[in-house]
DNA sequence: CTTTCATGATACCTATTATGCATCAAAAAC
DNA sequence: GTTTTTGATGCATAATAGGTATCATGAAAG
């Protein structure tokens, strides 16, 4: 005879009550059914679990050990079922997120923070990788969501733009260009520039500096600040001008004037991308999260 | 529908094989039975555990979680059943052993060491206590075996003598008394004594010193050694004589002469004692162990 | 392109197992 | 003594698990 969860459930009830009738009522079965189940269990284990008489029922030493173990088994199973259910509806699980340098220095940290707040049961596992590598990993189901520099127009992927980084020029109020709405790159050739942190912003400057060279100049860096807020601060007190991205300008306070740069056509786009088929639940939740997040705030329209 | 160990067993087999027919063969059931059991399980959990097609079967994310949990449950149950069985036959468990100061400074440590060697699964839990307290604890089933100073002649207890401590006088070879077989206490009134460690041997000296007083003297302590071997060493190099117990004399090397003391009638007896009814398995094993130990070595006859 | 083979699912019947009811024997309560 | 309460047992029934035959589908072989 094989031991069953039924045996354990009944045993635990009896071990708590130490009375067949009361335990059987608790279990909503008849007393004889309980008696025989306990007999079956004891026979199956070849172990006497209860000392019983008409007068009293009490656990043997072995019974006490089995009670502890039985409780652990039942609790473990309950926890397992619960976790399994949560994973199946995507309330728990892991989301493997790839990111480029550019993504991680942009919106991604905040995005992941918000996602974690909405789905605290989902563990985000970040993996660094350049765009091409991430696409391969997505195809091989080694990654759920990639944050890559786009736009990617490749079959088998869906994506949402999460960050469009159009460069703008920022000058202090009172600057000679401050009255204009827009400039061309060549207009900035003689200006002093405030520079962002070279390492974290490498992607941006790799993109920007060739454009400047094409416009015929090399930016004259006079100050370097630790982050975008620092850059904007230096600009606002007249140390120079800067070229940053739209999204970075969101952090700006007063005293600054943004100018479009008319001869830079392409924005730098960072998009969340995923393989179209067999979406895992955490991935679905992430996509839904992105869409919900986009809608009310008019953040970025869908691709 | 309720989840059963059967469901888990079948699930784990299928999770290993990822093929219904092979898994069903492994389980010695038909393939349709397995199919339906998995369906029942998935319905019971309201969770899809396998992605399946005619072509392949593979675990879902939730299935992977359930596999881990299911394995834990099965292993836990197996371990529990095993431990329960071992406890029921007394191969595992705990033995609550009481001891007096006198017992612990005598044979008890060696005895427990040998018992542990014979029954490594039984954990010995030592509790210090004087004889009267131990007897109460035995009655209240707070203790399995007591090591008490006997003889106890009380209904409801069984016992075995494990240690008879008859005091003997030990003198160095060449001493004025060395030619004799026995002495009386009064013969030792003028001797220099080597003394044992006062704390550990308190029981012994509480017993001996009144006898000396009755014989008309107070022993003249000239040296104190750390343990019995030390005492015997000091005696053998002529520092004095000593009164020890027979069992302690077993440690003696050469150069020493033991003398019976004719006017001390009562030996100090230490006995293992237990309540006669409802012996727990570890207690039985300990009693058997004592009896086996007594027989071949003619150590101490039964009470 | 058709045939064959292997897969998992379904229908239907049987064997096994669990349960309830009625009842028993023993001890405690009255 | 009688009644009540305890756990155990016998027997019939209901629920569950299992087996056989068969289907539908897709892949491989011809």
């Amino acid at each position: 005879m094989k031991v069953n969860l039924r045996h354990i459930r009944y045993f635990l009830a009896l071990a708590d009550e130490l009375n067949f009738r009361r335990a059987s009522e608790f279990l909503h079965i008849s007393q004889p059914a309980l008696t025989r189940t306990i007999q079956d269990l004891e026979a199956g284990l070849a172990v006497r679990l209860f000392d019983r008489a008409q007068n009293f029922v009490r656990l043997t030493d072995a019974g006490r050990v089995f009670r502890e173990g039985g409780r652990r088994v039942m609790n473990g199973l309950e926890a397992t079922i619960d976790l399994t259910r949560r994973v199946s509806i995507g309330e728990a699980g892991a989301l493997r997120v790839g990111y480029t340098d550019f993504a991680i220095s942009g919106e991604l940290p905040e995005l992941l923070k918000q996602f974690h707040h909405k789905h605290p049961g989902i563990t985000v596992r970040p993996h660094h990788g350049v765009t091409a590598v991430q696409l391969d990993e997505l195809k091989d189901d080694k990654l759920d969501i990639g944050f890559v520099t786009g736009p990617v127009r490749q079959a088998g992927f869906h994506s949402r733009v999460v960050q469009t980084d159009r460069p703008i020029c920022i000058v202090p109020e009172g600057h000679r260009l401050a009255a204009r709405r827009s400039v061309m790159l060549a207009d900035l050739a003689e200006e002093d520039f405030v520079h962002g942190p070279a390492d974290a912003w490498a992607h941006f400057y790799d993109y920007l500096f060739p454009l400047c060279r094409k416009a015929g100049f090399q930016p004259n860096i006079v100050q370097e600040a630790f982050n975008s807020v620092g850059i904007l601060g230096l600009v606002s007190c007249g140390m120079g001008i800067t070229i940053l991205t739209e999204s970075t300008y969101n952090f700006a306070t007063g005293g600054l004037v943004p100018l479009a740069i008319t001869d830079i056509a392409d924005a730098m786009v960072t998009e969340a991308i995923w393989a179209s088929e067999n979406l895992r639940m955490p991935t679905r939740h992430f996509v839904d999260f992105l869409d919900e997040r986009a809608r009310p705030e008019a953040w970025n329209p869908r691709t």
Side-chain angles (χ1 to χ4, degrees), chain A:
Chain A
M1 218 272 314
K2 265 276 175 222
V3 174
N4 233 341
L5 285 189
R6 197 180 116 263
H7 292 114
I8 300 177
R9 273 200 315 129
Y10 288 12
F11 165 83
L12 289 177
L14 181 58
D16 281 348
E17 297 285 352
L18 293 177
N19 177 305
F20 279 75
R21 187 183 46 75
R22 282 205 303 278
S24 71
E25 281 168 10
F26 174 78
L27 294 165
H28 301 108
I29 59 170
S30 68
Q31 171 263 313
L34 178 59
T35 291
R36 242 152 332 126
T37 302
I38 297 298
Q39 286 172 340
D40 285 354
L41 177 59
E42 289 181 324
L45 299 177
V47 170
R48 180 149 296 276
L49 298 170
F50 294 97
D51 287 327
R52 40 200 192 278
Q54 285 77 2
N55 203 4
F56 62 86
V57 174
R58 69 175 173 222
L59 283 164
T60 61
D61 285 359
R64 261 183 287 277
V65 169
F66 193 71
R67 178 180 54 177
E68 295 315 304
R71 281 185 182 153
R72 264 198 305 280
V73 166
M74 295 304 273
N75 290 339
L77 179 60
E78 196 177 338
T80 292
I81 291 176
D82 186 59
L83 183 60
T84 303
R85 286 216 176 96
R86 286 156 46 76
V87 166
S88 82
I89 61 174
E91 204 177 276
L95 184 72
R96 299 161 300 177
V97 175
Y99 62 89
T100 58
D101 281 346
F102 201 70
I104 198 69
S105 63
E107 299 296 320
L108 185 56
E110 174 63 19
L111 206 66
L112 294 183
K113 185 180 147 200
Q114 287 179 20
F115 180 70
H116 179 258
H117 184 258
K118 185 159 187 212
H119 297 283
I122 298 180
T123 306
V124 171
R125 294 199 210 287
H127 298 263
H128 178 269
V130 299
T131 298
V133 169
Q134 285 188 50
L135 294 180
D136 285 344
E137 291 176 331
L138 286 166
K139 238 180 271 172
D140 299 348
D141 192 29
K142 298 217 156 80
L143 213 56
D144 297 309
I145 293 273
F147 280 79
V148 301
T149 301
V152 176
R153 288 280 170 276
Q154 202 170 331
F157 293 105
H158 288 162
S159 62
R160 300 281 185 280
V161 172
V162 293
Q163 202 173 315
T164 55
D165 291 295
R166 181 179 296 277
I168 57 174
C169 175
I170 299 169
V171 302
E173 282 179 353
H175 189 272
R176 69 172 179 96
L177 298 171
R180 300 173 57 169
R181 311 282 323 254
S182 64
V183 293
M184 293 183 67
L185 269 179
D187 299 335
L188 311 175
E190 304 304 321
E191 294 291 332
D192 291 341
F193 277 84
V194 181
H195 190 294
D199 49 351
W201 292 68
H203 266 84
F204 180 64
Y205 288 104
D206 286 351
Y207 158 84
L208 178 65
F209 285 12
L211 293 174
C212 293
R213 268 198 297 282
K214 230 162 52 179
F217 71 101
Q218 169 86 11
N220 176 34
I221 314 286
V222 296
Q223 282 287 338
E224 188 162 313
F226 184 64
N227 57 21
S228 59
V229 174
I231 296 169
L232 295 172
L234 293 174
V235 170
S236 73
C237 50
M239 299 298 293
I241 70 169
T242 192
I243 294 179
L244 283 180
T245 57
E246 287 174 334
S247 56
T248 318
Y249 181 68
N250 292 336
F251 291 105
T253 52
L256 294 168
V257 177
L259 306 171
I261 305 175
T262 54
D263 54 346
I264 298 183
D266 312 330
M268 289 194 72
V269 170
T270 297
E271 46 188 30
I273 186 166
W274 60 95
S276 353
E277 352 186 84
N278 295 328
L279 286 205
R280 298 171 62 234
M281 286 305 298
T283 315
R284 279 174 216 233
H285 282 317
F286 195 83
V287 172
D288 290 347
F289 161 76
L290 286 177
D291 288 345
E292 279 169 30
R293 191 173 185 280
R295 212 171 307 123
E297 299 167 24
W299 170 262
N300 275 313
R302 303 184 183 195
T303 339

